[in-house]
Amino acid sequence: TGEGRPAVAATLRALNGALGRSAALWIKESGARNLRHRDFLAPRAALGAIFPDGQVPADVVAGVASLEGPGVLAVQGCQETPAGLVVQVRRPEAFRRLLGFPSGPAPASGAQQGWVMLHCPALRDPAALRPRHLRPLLLADHLAQLLRAQGVSVCLVPALAKEGSQKLLQQLRIDWPSSSGGVALPDVVALKQALGTSPYATGCEEGPGKVALPEDVICKVHLKNFAEQQCLVGYDPNLDVLLVTEEKLRSLAELQQAVLQCTVSYPMALPASCFPDIGSCCNIVHVVSCEEEFQQQQLDLLWRILDPRAHTALQKHLICGPVKVTNPSSPIGADQYFQLRRQQMYEASMMKYGELARDEAWTEVIDTLTVAAIRFEMLSTAHRSQITLDLEDSSISTKGTKSGAFVMYNCARLATLFGTYQQAVEQGTYPPLPPASELKYSCLREEGEWLLLFNYLLPFPEVLQQAAELPAPTKGIRITANTETVCKFLIQLSMDFSSYYNRVHVLGEPFPHLFDQMFARLQLLGAVKDMFHSALATLHLPPLSQI
């Protein structure tokens, strides 16, 4: 059998190769009903295109049945059915190979995987943050964690200048850099000089006969002329003349400083554009709400005009859809939104746990649950789509299987399980867990156990990698990222784990003949717990030991 940790992609490549095809033909099953009798399927319609008589040659079937190789799941059997060609893998061996490896992200290679700068313009005025600004901010924070897990160096811009503005970000567990000083004056002066010599700028001169510009405006720049002459596509057709102010130049100067810092800090890192799986042609990503998209396109073009170096041509825009707030008595700030959700979480905890929720130890639990509720509310929907925040309906955040609280609750159940087991070991009720290589994985025959391994532990490293991808657009400046992937993964994992845990008694009676199954289940659930922790870390959520 193949060495190393099995992977979905490697197994699918091997299965497609066995049919003489490089194109995707096989599908991985994920539904509980189909997984009872097959793990992979080559659909009948697809087979008909390869084998005109509809029959798969016996030698091809035999080749599929004998598949092996690095990262490839060993095949138990392959047979033709009315649905197509079906494969079932050797499940005990799959458990053994997977549970012998860490369940976190695949270790990044030793070489730096490039750098990406994430620019979140909403932070230029932190005091005016509203819920719609939180969406790009939380998305950028999550994306930064995902990229770092893949070995990419990340620069976050703009740095926060005021200490007070960090309070809300700290409450939301957003890890954002701060700065004690402002932008260096020479950088702004250099941009002004570039304006003075640009053929697209007018009104910079002084003297009689010149039309007076507003007091804070330095000059006018003809963005539309520049975009047309450079044959740039994807920009708003209404972009025309921009009134350039000192504030806009300071914003550009800070971006330039950040690019310089990235290139100096990571001189050996190849541009992220060299890594199509991670940051294809996306060194600089502006993460903005749809309401601020127009203004950011203006700054994008102004930067290209004033600094024609290669990095400004690598600017891309990741746009967040609108955030609709229902039932607001008045416009609500981001801090008010946080406090409202925290109060709702506190009240929900009081209803469930009574006076226990007043304990000081619960303050941190409620704070973490609040952050989880907000992050899942903001990030579990595709970033291009609208999200709706119902401020009066607390059940969206505090109850139900799609809330962050539900995910944290199931993570805490695992902590309780292992805490209980450890206490029983110390009391002599159970023996310690043997090494993974000595466990009998053939004891894992329950449907939910294979679901947890095949749908979650197996694809988890690939899920994190796909969530960090920033594929270049075929044309234009907008990019799409799969930033909802981790939240959706955790929600589905929590539902399947909860169903299994409610059905199966993991810590059974302390009889020696039951230990083999208990140990195998603990090894499986230990890997699930580690996977929860790794996924939550990309959301800056610490695991809870109690709820």
Side-chain angles (χ1 to χ4, degrees):
T1 57
E3 296 291 325
R5 189 189 195 280
V8 175
T11 303
L12 287 172
R13 276 196 302 270
L15 286 168
N16 288 321
L19 295 183
R21 290 289 183 274
S22 57
L25 183 74
W26 291 82
I27 60 172
K28 174 191 171 293
E29 294 288 3
S30 58
R33 180 180 300 176
N34 286 339
L35 284 173
R36 287 170 194 156
H37 50 268
R38 68 187 187 223
D39 297 316
F40 295 93
L41 169 71
R44 175 62 57 195
L47 290 173
I50 305 172
F51 308 105
D53 61 357
Q55 290 293 314
V56 182
D59 62 323
V60 173
V61 175
V64 172
S66 60
L67 273 185
E68 60 180 14
V72 178
L73 288 164
V75 174
Q76 175 71 37
C78 173
Q79 61 180 354
E80 279 200 80
T81 70
L85 203 58
V86 303
V87 158
Q88 191 168 50
V89 304
R90 296 181 201 163
R91 294 185 174 185
E93 184 174 327
F95 277 111
R96 180 188 61 78
R97 289 175 64 193
L98 272 159
L99 298 181
F101 283 80
S103 57
S109 63
Q112 280 284 348
Q113 300 288 295
W115 59 266
V116 171
M117 187 173 83
L118 299 178
H119 172 224
C120 198
L123 279 176
R124 298 209 175 274
D125 188 8
L129 284 179
R130 301 210 175 278
R132 75 167 188 268
H133 298 121
L134 285 185
R135 191 177 189 186
L137 180 53
L138 289 167
L139 190 148
D141 179 67
H142 178 44
L143 186 55
Q145 287 292 91
L146 290 166
L147 287 165
R148 288 172 183 137
Q150 299 300 320
V152 178
S153 301
V154 180
C155 301
L156 296 170
V157 184
L160 287 171
K162 297 178 182 177
E163 191 65 35
S165 62
Q166 295 238 13
K167 182 182 177 183
L168 176 63
L169 271 65
Q170 289 169 350
Q171 288 175 322
L172 288 167
R173 300 183 186 273
I174 294 172
D175 185 15
W176 206 270
S178 58
S179 172
S180 54
V183 177
L185 185 61
D187 295 329
V188 178
V189 171
L191 288 171
K192 284 183 179 178
Q193 290 172 344
L195 269 176
T197 59
S198 171
Y200 302 101
T202 58
C204 302
E205 312 88 351
E206 297 179 0
K210 296 296 179 185
V211 178
L213 294 170
E215 188 177 343
D216 63 335
V217 174
I218 299 169
C219 69
K220 296 189 292 185
V221 172
H222 297 266
L223 303 178
K224 193 169 189 175
N225 293 351
F226 172 75
E228 288 174 350
Q229 289 184 20
Q230 298 293 318
C231 299
L232 299 174
V233 295
Y235 290 88
D236 192 305
N238 296 311
L239 286 169
D240 194 1
V241 175
L242 174 66
L243 300 179
V244 180
T245 62
E246 189 96 15
E247 182 184 358
K248 287 182 172 63
L249 292 184
R250 279 199 300 271
S251 298
L252 288 187
E254 183 169 12
L255 289 172
Q256 284 191 316
Q257 283 183 0
V259 169
L260 179 63
Q261 180 186 345
C262 283
T263 53
V264 169
S265 301
Y266 316 114
M268 300 303 293
L270 295 171
S273 54
C274 296
F275 296 87
D277 289 340
I278 297 172
S280 179
C281 299
C282 297
N283 280 81
I284 301 165
V285 181
H286 304 292
V287 186
V288 294
S289 67
C290 53
E291 293 91 347
E292 278 87 35
E293 181 181 10
F294 186 82
Q295 290 92 328
Q296 189 54 50
Q297 286 190 15
Q298 290 178 322
L299 278 183
D300 173 314
L301 289 174
L302 180 61
W303 196 11
R304 290 174 191 255
I305 290 170
L306 299 183
D307 185 358
R309 287 177 291 178
H311 60 258
T312 60
L314 292 175
Q315 296 180 83
K316 299 298 175 189
H317 298 241
L318 197 156
I319 310 302
C320 294
V323 177
K324 182 182 178 184
V325 180
T326 63
N327 302 317
S329 53
S330 60
I332 184 169
D335 53 345
Q336 294 170 288
Y337 166 60
F338 176 85
Q339 294 303 332
L340 176 67
R341 286 292 184 239
R342 192 188 186 285
Q343 181 61 28
Q344 289 168 340
M345 195 62 70
Y346 173 75
E347 290 169 1
S349 300
M350 283 291 293
M351 286 181 65
K352 189 169 184 178
Y353 302 105
E355 289 302 310
L356 271 176
R358 293 186 188 275
D359 190 273
E360 279 188 23
W362 271 81
T363 301
E364 188 173 348
V365 172
I366 291 170
D367 285 345
T368 301
L369 288 174
T370 303
V371 176
I374 290 173
R375 282 184 176 260
F376 275 76
E377 210 167 22
M378 291 283 184
L379 296 175
S380 58
T381 302
H383 67 81
R384 306 164 302 285
S385 304
Q386 174 179 299
I387 58 175
T388 301
L389 306 180
D390 190 334
L391 301 183
E392 292 182 0
D393 184 4
S394 63
S395 66
I396 293 173
S397 296
T398 61
K399 300 173 186 174
T401 57
K402 296 192 176 178
S403 67
F406 178 70
V407 171
M408 301 304 289
Y409 166 67
N410 280 286
C411 188
R413 292 172 87 184
L414 280 164
T416 301
L417 168 69
F418 281 92
T420 303
Y421 171 69
Q422 190 56 43
Q423 280 184 334
V425 170
E426 291 168 2
Q427 293 165 2
T429 307
Y430 298 127
L433 190 64
S437 59
E438 297 176 12
L439 300 181
K440 295 182 179 177
Y441 296 109
S442 56
C443 296
L444 297 175
R445 294 184 292 269
E446 219 279 336
E447 182 178 280
E449 290 155 1
W450 183 243
L451 272 178
L452 290 172
L453 187 99
F454 195 62
N455 284 348
Y456 302 101
L457 287 167
L458 173 66
F460 182 54
E462 293 163 89
V463 167
L464 291 184
Q465 184 178 3
Q466 289 161 8
E469 287 175 4
L470 296 173
T474 51
K475 63 177 183 176
I477 55 173
R478 284 187 172 201
I479 60 169
T480 299
N482 300 313
T483 49
E484 74 280 10
T485 299
V486 171
C487 285
K488 286 187 171 180
F489 179 88
L490 280 167
I491 289 166
Q492 195 62 49
L493 167 62
S494 297
M495 288 194 287
D496 282 342
F497 163 72
S498 181
S499 173
Y500 169 75
Y501 196 68
N502 291 340
R503 194 172 61 248
V504 173
H505 195 49
V506 178
L507 299 180
E509 295 295 326
F511 299 137
H513 69 280
L514 299 177
F515 286 163
D516 283 345
Q517 186 177 60
M518 182 185 74
F519 289 150
R521 285 175 170 170
L522 285 170
Q523 184 71 17
L524 170 66
L525 295 180
V528 171
K529 177 168 68 79
D530 292 343
M531 179 171 55
F532 261 111
H533 293 187
S534 294
L536 289 172
T538 69
L539 295 159
H540 277 129
L541 289 171
L544 295 177
S545 58
Q546 64 169 1
I547 291 188

